[in-house]
Amino acid sequence: MFTDILMNVLAPDNLIIILAATFYGCFVGAVPGLTATMAVALLVPFTFFLDPTPAISAIVATTTTAIFAGDISGTLLRIPGTPASAAYVDDAFNLSQQGRARTSLFVSLITGAVGGVIGVLILMLVAPQLARIAISFSSFETFWLAGLGLSCAVFVGRGTVPKSFASLFIGLAIASVGIDVAVGHPRYTFGVPDLLDGISFIPAMIGIFAFSEVLRNAQSLDQPEQKVLQVTENVISALGRALKIVAKFPTTILRSSVLGTMVGALPGAGADIAAWISYAIARRFSKDPDSFGKGSLVGIAAGGSANNAAIGGAWTPALVFGIPGDSVTAIAIGVLLLKGMSPGPRIFTDQPELTSSLFGSFLVANIMMVPVGILAVLASTYILKVPRAAMAPIILLFSLVGAFAIAGTVTAVWIVLVLGIMGYYMEKVGIPLAPAILGIVLGKIIEDNFMISMIKAQGDFLLFFERQYSLVLGVITLALWALLIVRAIREVIRPRSIQKGKK
């Protein structure tokens, strides 16, 4: 099998395509508002002129690099390139403000490459077994899994539990805009046709993180320039610190990579839930949980490795059953079908050269991502030397162009502006932004699967715990909700008791 991989993947023309796709994915992923899915979608017309192996290699290399490159804008501009990056964007941005942007990005790059390699190794060894679990998931399990992801967002929120819940419910309220899945009636669209499909999470994410950051910068322009923004780390020192973090926390990275692969193998779950759950678990087992959200390199390592590992996991149901694990694999399946190939259980026996090329392309792309990513980090960190007065309008321009490009409507621009103002006031009163983003991303998933499950169960809630996997996920999710409620009550009672003690 490894001989086939080497022969197919290490062919000179295939290596050139992987290298070109790596640079392309790095560029697109680093631009605020342009996602890995958009990068792959733009690549599709070029795959018409390629053989199946180079076509799949290009898609894999583009996806792998674009996911990491999304951390560049998150670290430097506080604009997560992907929703999964929102899990640790506060840590990365705070490190950037401390003059350690390169350390943060190198940790993200190295752990992303490690997670990607682990993910594809697991994919090679246990793809059929993981796919059997994935295909057995019904709307009940998907509902609980999305609920678990939302719970983790509150659990790791920087603010108090009540404020994290408030942020989450704001995100869920935004996600409720559009057509009601049960009765087919428009909700909160105010007669705007563009809102019938709901609010896209990309313009929402750009507005809440990017435009609100522009407003904060505009407010502080009359203050002295922050010296930390002028600091550019020494490359060797930053790389050395990143390697020390990777060597110091191998268990965290391995656990996050395995978890990311398993969650990524579940249809519709993807890297978003994987990153949040891995980040929450890393904080739970950390000796310094208070540092999370303030500049924790361990949190970045956990989220970064889970991100890229989930990419390999998403290919499991796509290859074995032809069911896309995420939007990127949905596009890849379309490319395979155009090439006259049908993903399914027989693909491993009928076309072993294709699967071996896929595995090999993943390995080569993750290895090649490291030197290309280092070049991208070196080039991008000079953004820190740009004065804030000049940076603010540039961020705003990228934000509006990115939102319009992803949605193709002026309504997306208004969404950026409105949610940006909302995000600015949320942070002003201490409400964290990250849970709101996950609420927007997972809101539709959790509502759709809840309504479908209720229709199946005819209103009987016990059926949510009838199946084996739904029982396990349901118990874990409810236990976490109970823990969060207890924490919220303590946080409300504690200030009152302190005030009484002072009197």
Side-chain angles (χ1 to χ4, degrees):
M1 184 176 181
F2 284 100
T3 305
D4 294 336
I5 292 176
L6 291 174
M7 291 178 61
N8 287 317
V9 176
L10 299 183
D13 57 341
N14 200 57
L15 284 177
I16 292 173
I17 288 173
I18 291 177
L19 181 62
T22 300
F23 275 103
Y24 165 70
C26 202
F27 171 76
V28 176
V31 176
L34 303 185
T35 63
T37 303
M38 189 173 184
V40 173
L42 294 174
L43 192 67
V44 169
F46 296 96
T47 62
F48 295 157
F49 307 100
L50 300 175
D51 292 331
T53 296
I56 292 299
S57 298
I59 291 175
V60 164
T62 299
T63 310
T64 300
T65 317
I67 290 292
F68 152 71
D71 291 342
I72 294 177
S73 58
T75 302
L76 303 180
L77 305 176
R78 208 184 180 210
I79 310 173
T82 61
S85 301
Y88 49 89
V89 68
D90 286 332
D91 294 281
F93 184 72
N94 282 329
L95 286 168
S96 173
Q97 295 297 289
Q98 297 166 20
R100 300 166 64 193
R102 285 181 173 173
T103 299
S104 172
L105 287 170
F106 283 147
V107 168
S108 178
L109 173 64
I110 296 169
T111 55
V114 171
V117 169
I118 292 174
V120 73
L121 291 176
I122 295 174
L123 175 64
M124 293 168 62
L125 295 173
V126 296
Q129 287 76 12
L130 283 176
R132 289 191 192 99
I133 296 175
I135 197 64
S136 67
F137 264 49
S138 67
S139 57
F140 296 104
E141 287 84 1
T142 306
F143 165 75
W144 286 121
L145 187 66
L148 182 61
L150 294 176
S151 305
C152 290
V154 177
F155 193 74
V156 302
R158 279 202 302 164
T160 62
V161 173
K163 288 185 176 181
S164 295
F165 265 121
S167 176
L168 179 62
F169 288 134
I170 289 172
L172 291 174
I174 295 171
S176 68
V177 174
I179 300 291
D180 187 295
V181 65
V183 299
H185 193 273
R187 298 179 304 196
Y188 313 120
T189 59
F190 304 103
V192 179
D194 291 335
L195 294 180
L196 291 174
D197 286 335
I199 293 178
S200 174
F201 65 83
I202 296 299
M205 187 169 64
I206 291 173
I208 290 177
F209 280 110
F211 186 52
S212 63
E213 188 67 25
V214 170
L215 294 175
R216 278 188 292 275
N217 280 332
Q219 186 186 35
S220 60
L221 283 178
D222 57 338
Q223 299 175 3
E225 189 75 17
Q226 296 180 19
K227 293 183 179 181
V228 293
L229 294 179
Q230 305 294 333
V231 176
T232 302
E233 288 179 284
N234 179 273
V235 180
I236 303 300
S237 300
L239 193 56
R241 283 192 287 269
L243 290 171
K244 285 181 181 177
I245 289 293
V246 174
K248 188 177 180 181
F249 299 99
T251 305
T252 299
I253 296 170
L254 179 61
R255 180 182 62 232
S256 300
S257 300
V258 174
L259 181 62
T261 306
M262 295 180 66
V263 174
L266 305 174
D272 310 344
I273 300 177
W276 280 100
I277 294 177
S278 297
Y279 185 88
I281 292 176
R283 182 182 179 182
R284 172 66 181 81
F285 289 101
S286 173
K287 295 179 181 178
D288 185 20
D290 293 335
S291 67
F292 280 64
K294 302 175 183 176
S296 171
L297 287 168
V298 183
I300 294 173
S305 53
N307 262 358
N308 278 53
I311 299 173
W315 280 85
T316 303
L319 279 179
V320 180
F321 294 100
I323 300 173
D326 57 9
S327 54
V328 171
T329 49
I331 297 172
I333 288 175
V335 172
L336 289 176
L337 292 173
L338 287 173
K339 299 291 182 183
M341 302 176 181
S342 299
R346 294 183 62 85
I347 198 171
F348 289 94
T349 54
D350 295 347
Q351 296 167 318
E353 71 283 352
L354 181 64
T355 54
S356 63
S357 298
L358 173 67
F359 299 147
S361 297
F362 260 118
L363 292 172
V364 173
N366 278 284
I367 294 170
M368 204 173 283
M369 180 177 73
V370 176
V372 173
I374 290 175
L375 293 176
V377 170
L378 296 183
S380 63
T381 47
Y382 284 102
I383 293 175
L384 295 176
K385 294 188 176 182
V386 179
R388 284 183 299 164
M391 181 58 68
I394 294 174
I395 295 175
L396 180 58
L397 176 64
F398 269 119
S399 300
L400 299 181
V401 171
F404 183 82
I406 200 73
T409 66
V410 179
T411 304
V413 176
W414 285 107
I415 290 172
V416 169
L417 298 176
V418 171
L419 294 188
I421 295 172
M422 184 194 74
Y424 169 76
Y425 283 105
M426 283 173 63
E427 282 230 315
K428 205 166 186 179
V429 297
I431 297 177
L433 302 180
I437 287 296
L438 199 67
I440 296 171
V441 173
L442 296 182
K444 197 70 176 174
I445 296 174
I446 199 167
E447 181 191 8
D448 289 356
N449 285 280
F450 177 75
M451 297 306 296
I452 292 170
S453 300
M454 287 298 289
I455 292 171
K456 288 180 183 176
Q458 295 293 302
D460 186 1
F461 282 102
L462 292 179
L463 290 182
F464 279 76
F465 302 92
E466 190 177 59
R467 295 162 58 88
Q468 180 182 356
Y469 294 120
S470 64
L471 174 63
V472 174
L473 288 172
V475 169
I476 294 174
T477 304
L478 290 177
L480 191 57
W481 288 354
L483 178 62
L484 289 171
I485 291 172
V486 171
R487 278 182 53 183
I489 293 172
R490 287 179 178 175
E491 288 174 357
V492 171
I493 293 176
R494 192 177 300 160
R496 293 179 180 176
S497 60
I498 293 173
Q499 289 178 357
K500 287 182 180 179
K502 288 182 179 179
K503 290 179 182 180

